[in-house]
């Protein structure tokens, strides 16, 4: 527990958490049969032993299962109190890089599956910062809606349409579909899965204490994946047949690409900077946080952050050993495992941090 008076309650409380991991577990040795790599190279460099790969599950399957567990409709999740009626969810926000369709949104597909009949839905593209961008955006929308409801009551007017009291944030990722299985520098890093939280506004409760988000230009394309549309020629282009043919035949790279060392450098500095900013905004010291729940990109990045913060590495939740990097879902999965395992209890302060393509980064502190 944070000392009395530390941290500022703003009311968005996590009332449910869930995760879903695909059935198929892929070992480092199996990857060694696909690309020129070994378990001996992967483990010390990344901390990854195995990852789950969605061979038959869709993003909707994974997202819907994580959500059902966060709502208490299916066993295996964490509930603050009791099961949550899906019809009480006002909004679904889905951070994802790998939606099953361009439209409907991934959030809308999950809505249909879980019966969240009153929810408005949208997706978010913020790569591996989805855990922080998703929950922070939900918190800001809940706070704005609560303020409007209170102002409307005081003024004797009806609140604005779409009042928000409960938001489901569900990140679902199948990075296995964006990875180049011939590129050993990236394919060994990523895994598939989904993580979800239900956030509820409470006037009398402690919840989200602070959040911080930032964006840096990726001018050198250190972390990049082109749109699958590429630049296909249109009938309106004033080009010769030959130029049109050349454009149509131009190589289209559908895979994500990463300059590993440049991203490593960005990640280590961004993670520490964002954690410090979230702590300072909540007037917390590093010791006040019971558990840091970072994005799982590389165990070495997590260990670096712990050392820089002067905290024992046990205060940082690590799940990358069995999940790999699940992009925006990583920290939500890690949070779920910490709650289910009892590493975090109601009243504790936790801090999530993320960084990734965009280049996005952020952190948020919250009381469970
Ligand atoms: O969530 C998105 C954010 N992503 C990240 O934060 C990832 C950040 N980057 C990293 O975690 C690390 O840079 C990696 C784990 C991706 C790579 O580790 P590294 O120590 O930076 O390796 P490197 O890229 O400098 O490569 C060193 C050597 C190279 O060989 P040469 O040129 O020295 O002969 C690579 O070709 O290791 C080679 N290599 C591999 N060898 C065996 C690269 N990937 C592999 C592999 N197996 N899978």
């Amino acid at each position: 527990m944070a000392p009395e008076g530390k941290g500022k309650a703003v009311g968005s409380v996590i009332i449910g958490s869930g995760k879903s991991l695909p059935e198929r577990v892929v070992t480092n040795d199996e990857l060694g049969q696909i690309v020129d790599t070994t378990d001996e190279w992967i483990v010390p460099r990344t901390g990854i032993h195995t990852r789950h790969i969605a061979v038959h599950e869709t993003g909707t399957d994974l997202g819907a299962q994580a959500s059902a567990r966060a709502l208490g409709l299916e066993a295996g999740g964490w509930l603050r109190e009791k099961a949550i009626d899906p019809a009480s969810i006002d909004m679904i926000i889905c951070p994802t890089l790998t939606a099953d369709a361009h439209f409907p949104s991934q959030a809308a597909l999950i809505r249909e599956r879980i019966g969240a009949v009153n929810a408005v839905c949208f997706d978010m593209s913020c790569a591996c910062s989805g855990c922080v961008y998703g929950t922070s955006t939900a918190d800001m929308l809940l706070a704005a809606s609560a303020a409007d409801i209170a102002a409307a009551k005081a003024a004797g007017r009806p609140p604005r349409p779409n009042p928000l009291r409960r938001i489901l944030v569900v990140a679902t990722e199948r990075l296995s579909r964006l990875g180049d299985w011939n590129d050993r520098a990236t394919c060994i890093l990523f895994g598939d899965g989904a993580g979800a939280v239900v956030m509820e506004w409470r006037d009398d409760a402690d919840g989200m204490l602070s959040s911080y988000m930032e964006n840096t230009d990726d001018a050198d394309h250190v972390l990049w994946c082109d749109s699958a549309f590429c630049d296909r020629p249109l009938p309106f282009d004033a080009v010769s047949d030959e130029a049109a043919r050349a454009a149509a035949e131009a190589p289209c790279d559908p895979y994500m690409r990463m300059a590993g060392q440049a991203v490593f450098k960005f990640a280590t500095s961004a993670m520490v900077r964002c954690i410090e900013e979230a702590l300072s905004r909540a007037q917390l010291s590093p010791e006040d946080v019971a558990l840091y729940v970072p994005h799982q990109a590389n165990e070495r990045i997590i260990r670096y952050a712990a050392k820089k913060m002067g905290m024992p590495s046990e205060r940082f939740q690590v799940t990358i050993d069995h999940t790999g990097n699940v992009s925006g879902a990583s920290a939500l999965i890690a949070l779920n495992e910490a709650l289910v395992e009892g590493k975090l209890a109601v009243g504790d302060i936790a801090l999530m941090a993320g960084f990734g393509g965009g280049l996005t980064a952020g952190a948020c502190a919250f009381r469970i």
Side-chain angles (χ1 to χ4, degrees), residues 248-290:
E249 286 165 8
C252 165
D253 183 358
Y255 302 119
M256 66 175 139
R257 301 294 173 196
M258 183 175 72
Q261 288 197 3
V263 176
F264 192 93
K265 210 169 152 201
F266 157 73
T268 44
S269 69
M271 179 124 103
V272 174
R273 183 171 63 246
C274 291
I275 290 175
E276 286 176 347
E277 193 64 44
L279 288 174
S280 143
R281 286 175 187 217
Q283 296 175 293
L284 295 167
S285 66
E287 296 75 29
D288 294 330
V289 175

Side-chain angles (χ1 to χ4, degrees), residues 31 45 47 59 67 76 81 83 89 95 99 106 114 126 136 178 191 195 229 243 248 309 326-327 336 340 345 351:
L31 292 180
R45 283 282 213 304
S67 302
E81 286 132 9
I89 300 296
Q106 184 62 75
I114 62 172
C126 47
S136 298
L178 286 189
F229 291 123
M309 302 299 304
V326 197
S327 189
N336 177 260
V340 169
L351 190 147

Side-chain angles (χ1 to χ4, degrees), residues 35-38 41-42 45-46 127-128 183-190 223 258-268 295-301 325-327 330 355-357:
V35 288
D36 182 13
T37 193
T38 58
W41 192 94
I42 297 172
R45 283 282 213 304
T46 68
C128 305
D183 177 11
R184 67 178 181 174
T186 53
C187 75
I188 56 127
L189 297 171
F190 295 93
L223 202 42
M258 183 175 72
Q261 288 197 3
V263 176
F264 192 93
K265 210 169 152 201
F266 157 73
T268 44
H295 170 47
Q296 310 282 314
N298 187 323
E299 193 178 347
R300 285 192 290 140
I301 296 173
N325 178 344
V326 197
S327 189
S330 278
F355 52 84

Side-chain angles (χ1 to χ4, degrees), residues 110-164:
I110 292 169
R111 172 196 197 268
E112 188 181 342
R113 199 68 83 74
I114 62 172
V117 291
N118 295 307
V120 293
C121 302
F122 62 91
D123 293 353
M124 245 186 186
S125 173
C126 47
C128 305
S129 302
C131 53
V132 175
Y133 275 44
T135 51
S136 298
T137 302
D139 171 56
M140 289 188 279
L141 291 172
L142 287 167
S145 189
D148 178 62
I149 291 167
K153 196 172 165 197
R157 65 164 171 83
R160 288 179 199 180
N162 295 102
L164 300 169

